[in-house]
Amino acid sequence: MGHIRGLWKTAITALACTAVVGTAGGSATAAPTGAQTSRPVAADSRPAPSRPLPAAVDGGAWESGHVQGMAIDRRKGFMYFSYTNLLVKTDLRGRPVGSVTGFTGHLGDLDLNQKDGRIYGSLEYKAAKSFYIAILDGDRITRMGMDAQSTGVVSTVYLDEVVRDFTADMNGDGVFDGDTGKTADHRYGCSGIDGVAFGPEFGVKHGRQKLTVAYGVYAHTGRTDNDHQVLLQYDVERWKRYERPLSEAAPHTSGPARVDGKFFAYTGNTTYGVQNLEYDRYSGHWLMAAYKGTKPGFPNYTVFAVDGSRRPVVGDIRGQQRPERGPLLQLVPAGLHDEATGTYGWAVPGQYGQYGLVSLDDGRYYVARSGTVQEGGVTKQTARAELNTWTGATPSPFAPVG
């Protein structure tokens, strides 16, 4: 699968020689039977220079929903945390410098668009059957408590493809059953969107940068058509024409009429699909972090890696009510392998990626640690971005730095 460079080679070789792996808590245990360390392919470009970064960035404590995603602007020195209905901007010392409030929908995973310097995130309004990419201008987030609708720091783009799959009447009864997994409706089990990340076209060397959006997927164990992760790719270069201010009272439908690509990765059913999606420029892989699935017959891994260097292959989308074919993405043959289903992944214990994942494109990642604190009788949500190194070991492919 290509040569291995730098610290990736050092870490993987050391693990192979000692036959131990790092756990989520940093202790060492014997590698389980069938475990494999990852062998990442060389990236299309050299990794970003290693610059001093803090071992952790504190995202604060807020009366909000739990942390959903993170993004870093290394050039300007800021970190962004999504707390479901709140966005917080901090410097790299963890000092809050601004926030955006007033979201009544679900603000999910985040990523920085290196081309325009703005933060892109998934935004859901399921009751209104509206799904958007929220685009936040970080330069204009200069104080705490800025309103998402009235201050002009947020624009939105409507995703019609997601809406059509979310509202699909799969049982033909003419009734939309709403935000519930206890139904045969929702094509591919689509519950909306969550994971977002920028990266190249799948399988295209030096491919054009696209925004990739991952579906949420209901954890319905009684159906077979929800065992894929569904990923959409969009070229956002001309999205300015679609952008509209956020208006929760009057949701708009301005957005692209079609996607640039719709892809399927067979992982087995998860609980609400890809929570965090991240492209790693160093390895050329797309990491997908999910809540553990509950379907018997699947290994129910929580971290998967898609090989971004391999072109999608048109094949059967398994388990559909009617035979269907589409572009299939290939999982990296690393981590644990379940022979019965053919899936690869990592059964990561605890919190490793589902609440926030940021690649630094040099073998290091910031991984979110979620928690709660009590302040004045009020429960507040906390987040902490912790610096980790990718090892590819099992059960967790991440090892805390230091």
Side-chain angles (χ1 to χ4, degrees), residues 69 75 121 144 153 175 200 203 206 264 271 276 283 285 313 329 361:
R75 185 173 66 86
M144 304 302 293
V153 299
V175 177
H206 306 300
F264 302 85
T271 300
N276 265 247
S283 66
H285 297 160
V313 177
L329 301 172
D361 296 321

Side-chain angles (χ1 to χ4, degrees), residues 180-349:
T180 176
K182 298 178 180 180
T183 174
D185 287 347
H186 313 294
R187 187 175 289 109
Y188 314 118
C190 175
S191 69
I193 54 176
D194 215 325
V196 297
F198 284 95
E201 300 169 77
F202 290 119
V204 180
K205 190 174 183 179
H206 306 300
R208 188 178 184 88
Q209 178 181 255
K210 299 288 182 71
L211 174 65
T212 302
V213 181
Y215 278 12
V217 179
Y218 288 112
H220 189 316
T221 60
R223 59 194 292 181
T224 62
D225 58 350
N226 60 347
D227 293 333
H228 292 79
Q229 304 305 327
V230 183
L231 291 90
L232 311 178
Q233 283 201 321
Y234 295 93
D235 186 341
V236 302
E237 188 170 323
R238 298 183 180 179
W239 266 22
K240 279 283 188 182
R241 56 183 168 171
Y242 301 127
E243 292 182 33
R244 300 290 185 273
L246 175 63
S247 174
E248 295 182 341
H252 72 83
T253 58
S254 175
R258 60 181 62 87
V259 300
D260 292 315
K262 187 173 188 176
F263 305 90
F264 302 85
Y266 186 71
T267 62
N269 186 231
T270 54
T271 300
Y272 287 112
V274 178
Q275 295 297 298
N276 265 247
L277 180 69
E278 187 71 359
Y279 176 69
D280 177 49
R281 188 160 51 92
Y282 183 38
S283 66
H285 297 160
W286 295 81
L287 293 189
M288 304 186 297
Y291 298 137
K292 186 176 180 178
T294 56
K295 272 193 180 182
F298 285 100
N300 295 314
Y301 302 136
T302 56
V303 173
F304 306 89
V306 167
D307 189 342
S309 70
R310 296 184 63 180
R311 285 187 175 275
V313 177
V314 176
D316 293 330
I317 304 172
R318 302 184 223 182
Q320 303 308 301
Q321 294 180 16
R322 297 178 179 178
E324 185 176 346
R325 291 170 65 80
L328 306 180
L329 301 172
Q330 307 300 308
L331 296 179
V332 175
L336 296 171
H337 180 218
D338 182 65
E339 293 185 0
T341 60
T343 57
Y344 291 87
W346 289 266
V348 184

Side-chain angles (χ1 to χ4, degrees), residues 28-40:
T29 58
T33 303
Q36 303 178 30
T37 52
S38 72
R39 297 177 57 83

Side-chain angles (χ1 to χ4, degrees), residues 46-294:
R46 294 183 182 274
S50 294
R51 297 175 56 187
L53 286 170
V57 179
D58 189 357
W62 310 95
E63 192 174 353
S64 61
H66 74 76
V67 64
Q68 300 282 340
M70 307 184 302
I72 189 172
D73 188 331
R74 293 178 68 177
R75 185 173 66 86
K76 295 179 180 178
F78 296 111
M79 185 80 82
Y80 297 85
F81 297 86
S82 162
Y83 287 90
T84 311
N85 57 4
L86 166 73
L87 181 114
V88 175
K89 175 184 177 181
T90 74
D91 63 20
L92 296 186
R93 294 184 180 182
R95 296 176 299 195
V97 297
S99 67
V100 182
T101 64
F103 295 101
T104 63
H106 180 284
L107 181 65
D109 189 16
L110 306 173
D111 202 10
L112 173 73
N113 183 350
Q114 298 285 355
K115 289 190 174 182
D116 66 17
R118 297 186 295 172
I119 307 301
Y120 288 58
S122 57
L123 183 60
E124 300 182 315
Y125 293 92
K126 294 186 182 184
K129 305 176 189 176
S130 297
F131 298 92
Y132 298 100
I133 293 298
I135 304 171
L136 299 108
D137 188 341
D139 290 342
R140 300 179 64 181
I141 303 174
T142 56
R143 56 183 172 82
M144 304 302 293
M146 299 181 71
D147 183 71
Q149 298 184 75
S150 63
T151 56
V153 299
V154 182
S155 60
T156 52
V157 175
Y158 181 82
L159 301 183
D160 182 66
E161 184 76 11
V162 181
V163 174
R164 286 192 283 116
D165 281 346
F166 175 72
T167 59
D169 179 13
M170 303 301 291
N171 60 8
D173 65 359
V175 177
F176 173 61
D177 294 330
D179 179 18
T180 176
K182 298 178 180 180
T183 174
D185 287 347
H186 313 294
R187 187 175 289 109
Y188 314 118
C190 175
S191 69
I193 54 176
D194 215 325
V196 297
F198 284 95
E201 300 169 77
F202 290 119
V204 180
K205 190 174 183 179
H206 306 300
R208 188 178 184 88
Q209 178 181 255
K210 299 288 182 71
L211 174 65
T212 302
V213 181
Y215 278 12
V217 179
Y218 288 112
H220 189 316
T221 60
R223 59 194 292 181
T224 62
D225 58 350
N226 60 347
D227 293 333
H228 292 79
Q229 304 305 327
V230 183
L231 291 90
L232 311 178
Q233 283 201 321
Y234 295 93
D235 186 341
V236 302
E237 188 170 323
R238 298 183 180 179
W239 266 22
K240 279 283 188 182
R241 56 183 168 171
Y242 301 127
E243 292 182 33
R244 300 290 185 273
L246 175 63
S247 174
E248 295 182 341
H252 72 83
T253 58
S254 175
R258 60 181 62 87
V259 300
D260 292 315
K262 187 173 188 176
F263 305 90
F264 302 85
Y266 186 71
T267 62
N269 186 231
T270 54
T271 300
Y272 287 112
V274 178
Q275 295 297 298
N276 265 247
L277 180 69
E278 187 71 359
Y279 176 69
D280 177 49
R281 188 160 51 92
Y282 183 38
S283 66
H285 297 160
W286 295 81
L287 293 189
M288 304 186 297
Y291 298 137
K292 186 176 180 178
T294 56

